[in-house]
Amino acid sequence: MISCSQKKTSESFTAMNTFMTVTLYSSSSKRGETVCYQIQSRVDELEQILSTTLPSSDVFFINHNSNFPASLKPELQTLIDFSKLIYEKTEGAFNPALYPVIREWGFTTGEYKVPSTEKIQELLPHTDFSKLYDDEKIELDFGAVGKGYAADEALLILEENGIKSALLDFGGNIQALGKKPDGSLWKVGIKNPWDGQVACALSVESKAVVTSGGYEKFFEEAVQRYIHIFDPATGRPIQNDLESMTIVCESGKYADALSTALFVMGKDKAIYWWKKQMAEKSFPVFDFILITKEQQLIYSSGLAGFIEPMYQFESVESVMPD
Ligand code: ADP
Ligand code: MG
């Protein structure tokens, strides 16, 4: 148990187009504030590299120039290498090269529209992330992994400063460090897609908890809902049986990238993929919580005992590795 003389510091700021809050416990408020400030600076620094809209960013440069830079900042190289791994492992479900398509649908500007089939077919060949260094038209967008990566970097700062207990909320991406100062687990709420309340509570220690869903960022046209997560195979917003996909694991960037990828896969494929990774043991252990449109709650067995449904689901089920 951490001593009760620990001082709580909580700071919020806006970065990466979202609201972020750092809550930490340290020996003094002054020290806590300094650490919060260091985290904010680091997140700002990452945004300056990864932003698709800041003309001075490294990603903006790649997206607006035909020649690929000879060398990259280490952060960007790390994310590209990591993205390549997840892209390959998920057979392209996670693809950070969809930007031209996503822009065409208006998600970058808010000027939403349903593009013509011809336009999508014209753009799709230039979304092949494996051709990053060969296709001049490739454009990157780390929207599905950047906040998770930023949370990992924030965690390093907390650890360097000897902080043992903290909770980061980076636009709904949660990263818990240690336990609460009283020795109990952090309790994280998974949002109910239908009413914005809590669908289930999850108790965690030193874990990232990241949710992808279609219920927050979308537009509607002719009674059809178009969400901000795309099927890389078709260049169209995902329409499947899921409302949300939450990943729980040690690393923020894994949790973030996988929440998007497993959301793209849909219920059956996501469960199959999880079982496959757990059997092969070549991938970090992770857990999932998925909520279907039919109001089922399904979670991986590693979370048994730590998850508490707060909503009258049609069914609640846990899945074991094979
Ligand atoms: P959010 O960050 O909005 O909570 P996600 O982590 O799921 O949710 O990321 C969604 C963002 O990732 C989209 O706004 C878009 O920029 C990008 N994106 C959409 N579809 C994909 C995909 N299949 N693979 C990788 N990135 C995607
Ligand atoms: Mg994500």
Side-chain angles (χ1 to χ4, degrees):
M1 193 163 96
I2 299 163
S3 139
C4 291
S5 63
Q6 295 277 303
K7 298 272 184 309
K8 176 178 174 175
T9 308
S10 193
E11 299 278 350
S12 294
F13 53 93
T14 305
M16 298 184 157
N17 302 315
T18 194
F19 191 69
M20 302 190 166
T21 302
V22 177
T23 303
L24 61 80
Y25 292 84
S26 62
S27 53
S28 78
S29 307
K30 179 126 187 50
R31 179 153 179 73
E33 280 163 26
T34 309
V35 176
C36 285
Y37 179 74
Q38 278 182 41
I39 289 175
Q40 185 178 351
S41 305
R42 180 66 179 138
V43 175
D44 284 342
E45 198 172 39
L46 293 173
E47 185 172 11
Q48 297 288 330
I49 299 171
L50 302 176
S51 168
T52 49
T53 50
L54 286 175
S56 56
S57 88
D58 303 65
V59 165
F60 192 96
F61 180 90
I62 292 174
N63 292 356
H64 291 83
N65 287 279
S66 49
N67 54 323
F68 201 85
S71 70
L72 296 171
K73 295 211 175 96
E75 294 89 342
L76 186 52
Q77 190 66 60
T78 300
L79 261 193
I80 288 177
D81 295 344
F82 174 72
S83 296
K84 193 164 168 284
L85 170 82
I86 305 296
Y87 174 80
E88 285 166 2
K89 280 267 179 196
T90 63
E91 288 163 26
F94 172 82
N95 180 354
L98 294 173
Y99 199 59
V101 168
I102 292 172
R103 179 175 44 223
E104 197 59 32
W105 286 79
F107 280 96
T108 56
T109 55
E111 288 163 29
Y112 301 116
K113 65 166 188 292
V114 178
S116 68
T117 306
E118 292 73 28
K119 189 70 199 173
I120 295 173
Q121 291 312 320
E122 178 192 320
L123 296 172
L124 264 183
H126 304 293
T127 63
D128 183 344
F129 186 57
S130 66
K131 299 212 175 84
L132 175 61
Y133 304 105
D134 311 318
D135 183 344
E136 291 181 355
K137 287 196 175 148
I138 282 226
E139 293 184 54
L140 299 174
D141 157 27
F142 293 108
V145 64
K147 280 181 289 184
Y149 178 54
D152 284 342
E153 291 294 295
L155 209 64
L156 292 179
I157 294 175
L158 291 167
E159 284 165 353
E160 276 164 18
N161 282 280
I163 308 287
K164 300 274 187 292
S165 173
L167 193 74
L168 308 174
D169 181 345
F170 284 7
N173 283 27
I174 303 294
Q175 191 107 18
L177 170 64
K179 296 183 194 174
K180 291 206 286 191
D182 68 3
S184 65
L185 299 179
W186 293 103
K187 211 167 210 185
V188 178
I190 309 297
K191 225 183 223 176
N192 183 325
W194 304 287
D195 64 9
Q197 306 287 308
V198 178
C200 61
L202 180 70
S203 298
V204 293
E205 171 184 0
S206 290
K207 286 276 168 21
V209 182
V210 179
T211 301
S212 283
Y215 52 87
E216 265 168 356
K217 283 180 214 150
F218 61 83
F219 75 95
E220 278 169 337
E221 198 178 292
V223 306
Q224 182 60 56
R225 178 175 283 198
Y226 298 104
I227 70 166
H228 75 306
I229 300 172
F230 278 69
D231 182 348
T234 62
R236 294 172 183 280
I238 291 290
Q239 287 180 27
N240 64 19
D241 50 4
L242 295 181
E243 283 287 352
S244 74
M245 173 64 74
T246 300
I247 303 293
V248 185
C249 67
E250 260 157 42
S251 146
K253 66 181 189 304
Y254 273 94
D256 200 354
L258 291 181
S259 72
T260 307
L262 271 69
F263 182 86
V264 168
M265 290 178 196
K267 181 181 104 174
D268 292 343
K269 195 159 178 216
I271 294 173
Y272 170 82
W273 196 86
W274 174 79
K275 286 185 175 179
K276 185 163 176 269
Q277 303 315 317
M278 295 309 107
E280 287 176 3
K281 295 192 165 79
S282 61
F283 205 70
V285 171
F286 69 96
D287 278 292
F288 69 82
I289 304 168
L290 65 82
I291 298 179
T292 70
K293 286 186 174 147
E294 293 183 340
Q295 308 212 343
Q296 302 162 288
L297 177 75
I298 305 176
Y299 59 90
S300 55
S301 52
L303 301 175
F306 297 98
I307 187 168
E308 190 188 332
M310 314 279 274
Y311 178 76
Q312 205 61 43
F313 285 98
E314 286 295 321
S315 64
V316 175
E317 193 188 323
S318 97
V319 180
M320 307 253 291
D322 283 338

